[in-house]
Amino acid sequence: MPEFEGLPSRIGRSLAYRARRLAKELSFAVRRRLRPIVEVAGLKVPLGKHLSLKVLMLLDRGYYESAELKLLQRYLKSGDKVLELGAGLGFLSTYASKVLGSSRVAA
């Protein structure tokens, strides 16, 4: 029957994908318990259930907003003022506050 062609391989791929995702989630759940805070660019970021798996992975590997952080590190000078729109976690705002002082940053 043509309508069932490829069904087993599709199911197999789907199960393999779900198994890999579950393994990643379990790995990060364990890490979250063992190390509930990661340090990125000198900032301590608490890990929690409020963060998606993708954000957890990026934070854990130091890649979270890395391109934007490099720009701030390169161009941010004392005396600058920062307005961050759509701050999300507030990671870049926190970094800018660390460099400039909180009175010079709005998010």
Side-chain angles (χ1 to χ4, degrees):
M1 290 182 221
E3 64 265 20
F4 294 111
E5 285 181 13
L7 184 62
S9 64
R10 240 183 305 155
I11 291 172
R13 283 193 305 269
S14 177
L15 289 174
Y17 169 79
R18 288 179 185 184
R20 283 191 306 272
R21 181 149 177 104
L22 182 61
K24 285 180 184 179
E25 288 176 10
L26 182 60
S27 170
F28 279 104
V30 169
R31 283 188 202 167
R32 214 180 295 148
R33 282 203 176 268
L34 297 176
R35 190 176 50 139
I37 296 174
V38 294
E39 190 167 327
V40 181
L43 302 176
K44 293 182 180 179
V45 181
L47 303 179
K49 293 181 181 180
H50 63 288
L51 300 173
S52 70
L53 179 60
K54 182 178 179 180
V55 170
L56 283 171
M57 290 172 63
L58 292 171
L59 282 168
D60 187 59
R61 295 179 180 145
Y63 297 141
Y64 183 74
E65 294 188 341
S66 59
E68 296 89 341
L69 181 62
K70 285 178 186 175
L71 287 171
L72 279 180
Q73 290 170 333
R74 185 173 181 182
Y75 293 108
L76 197 63
K77 298 181 237 84
S78 63
D80 287 349
K81 291 184 180 180
V82 173
L83 172 63
E84 184 181 8
L85 303 174
L89 294 180
F91 179 74
L92 296 174
S93 301
T94 304
Y95 178 80
S97 293
K98 183 179 175 186
V99 173
L100 301 173
S102 60
S103 64
R104 303 195 67 82
V105 178

